[in-house]
Amino acid sequence: VAERVLAALDGFEVETLDYTDPAGVAKRVIVANKGGNGGLALSGHMDTVPDTGWREDPWSARVDDDGVMHGLGTTDMKGPVACMLAAVARIPAEQQHAPLWFVATADEEVGMLGARSVAAQSQLYRQIVAQSAGAIIGEPTSLRVVYSHKGGRTVQAVSRGRAAHSSTGLGQNACMALIPFLEEIRRINDELETQPQWRDERFQPPTPTLNLLLHDVNTGINITSPLASCQAYFRPMPGQPADELTERMRSVAVRCGLQFEITFASDPLYTDPHSPFIQELLQISGRDTAETVAYG
């Protein structure tokens, strides 16, 4: 996919960044510039939502009788990336009066690894930031202008016990050790849903909506569980003390004798909805107001 994108960036100064994902698969991200300083950046990711159930050719689309196209990434977001490439190709060099930037990342759907690589290593990306170029990210919003979205924090607590037949009394149940930690997570969830500092009425829903996932490797009720874990995921909004909350979770996990890890962290995005850039996008898209979304 990256090679196909590169082939469409005729006339651009191109920077490619290669990395290997945790599964050992080679990945590439692309940052490109045409025309100097400032201007407009167009950004998208080349991967698609995993485990969609798609069983047809991943490189082809299916068009229904009503003209609707179905395929991997037609909206999220190979489609928007293709639209951006088509848009920049339609601008003759003599009519381009401001710089264009193009950013194509990988692994957005599984931890934003490509974007992290760009932020850490790309020299062209540093120019985009330094020059305060406007940026449009092609996530599917039905052309609604989104000026702010929530962030995310995922923590994992792991409890280790000892397996044994429950009749012997020789086991150590890993699930039991999780209970005090889960009680604290429940208190935290209650706070997130009720306390003013965790509420932002610009979003719907206006709270961080903590979600909890439990996992136990045990196979039978007559065996004590040797390994159990839980994951907690919440979505902080701009200005909220997300890191303080994760450290509170960490201290509880340590007190309970659990292994603790922050497995994902992403900050909220906020752009002043009254800024000239947002107002320009509203005019172009024919919208009256900019909006927020509850995801990242």
Side-chain angles (χ1 to χ4, degrees), residues 4-226:
R4 178 65 185 85
V5 170
L6 286 171
L9 291 172
D10 185 47
F12 279 77
E13 174 191 355
V14 176
E15 177 185 37
T16 59
L17 302 171
D18 296 329
Y19 68 95
T20 302
D21 72 10
V25 179
K27 299 293 176 67
R28 169 167 287 179
V29 294
I30 300 162
V31 186
N33 169 253
K34 183 180 181 182
N37 301 325
L40 177 68
L42 302 175
S43 178
H45 60 85
M46 297 176 286
D47 60 316
T48 59
V49 176
D51 303 323
T52 61
W54 184 265
R55 294 293 178 264
E56 301 175 37
D57 182 356
W59 303 105
S60 297
R62 182 184 73 247
V63 181
D64 288 348
D65 292 339
D66 58 3
V68 177
M69 178 183 290
H70 301 266
L72 288 176
T74 47
T75 61
D76 190 9
M77 69 180 288
K78 289 188 176 75
V81 169
C83 289
M84 291 173 172
L85 291 172
V88 299
R90 292 174 60 186
I91 303 174
E94 62 274 12
Q95 294 182 20
Q96 181 181 329
H97 302 300
L100 281 170
W101 306 83
F102 188 85
V103 183
T105 68
D107 289 328
E108 193 273 349
E109 301 289 355
V110 288
M112 306 176 187
L113 304 181
R116 297 180 195 279
S117 177
V118 168
Q121 301 179 49
S122 171
Q123 296 304 311
L124 286 181
Y125 178 72
R126 278 159 175 71
Q127 294 180 40
I128 296 175
V129 175
Q131 296 163 19
S132 299
I136 298 175
I137 301 171
E139 289 286 355
T141 65
S142 299
L143 285 184
R144 293 178 297 129
V145 179
V146 172
Y147 71 90
S148 186
H149 64 65
K150 294 183 180 182
R153 295 288 190 282
T154 303
V155 304
Q156 177 174 266
V158 179
S159 172
R160 298 185 181 276
R162 182 172 60 251
H165 197 278
S166 60
S167 67
T168 67
L170 299 176
Q172 182 179 356
N173 195 301
C175 295
M176 293 291 186
L178 277 179
I179 293 175
F181 181 77
L182 294 175
E183 289 176 337
E184 180 65 13
I185 293 296
R186 183 179 62 182
R187 283 191 287 269
I188 288 173
N189 181 66
D190 291 343
E191 293 174 15
L192 294 180
E193 291 298 315
T194 60
Q195 292 191 2
Q197 69 166 330
W198 294 109
R199 196 169 186 88
D200 190 330
E201 298 297 340
R202 294 173 296 186
F203 292 86
Q204 189 55 240
T207 60
T209 59
L210 186 146
N211 192 39
L212 187 65
L213 177 66
L214 301 178
H215 181 67
D216 178 10
V217 301
N218 198 4
T219 57
I221 190 59
N222 60 344
I223 304 296
T224 54
S225 296

Side-chain angles (χ1 to χ4, degrees), residues 208-261:
T209 59
L210 186 146
N211 192 39
L212 187 65
L213 177 66
L214 301 178
H215 181 67
D216 178 10
V217 301
N218 198 4
T219 57
I221 190 59
N222 60 344
I223 304 296
T224 54
S225 296
L227 181 66
S229 65
C230 71
Q231 291 179 294
Y233 179 39
F234 66 98
R235 301 173 181 270
M237 290 163 281
Q240 295 181 340
D243 292 334
E244 293 181 16
L245 191 60
T246 54
E247 288 308 306
R248 175 179 165 186
M249 294 177 178
R250 183 195 302 276
S251 66
V252 176
V254 171
R255 189 168 69 244
C256 296
L258 309 176
Q259 297 176 352
F260 183 87
E261 183 182 5

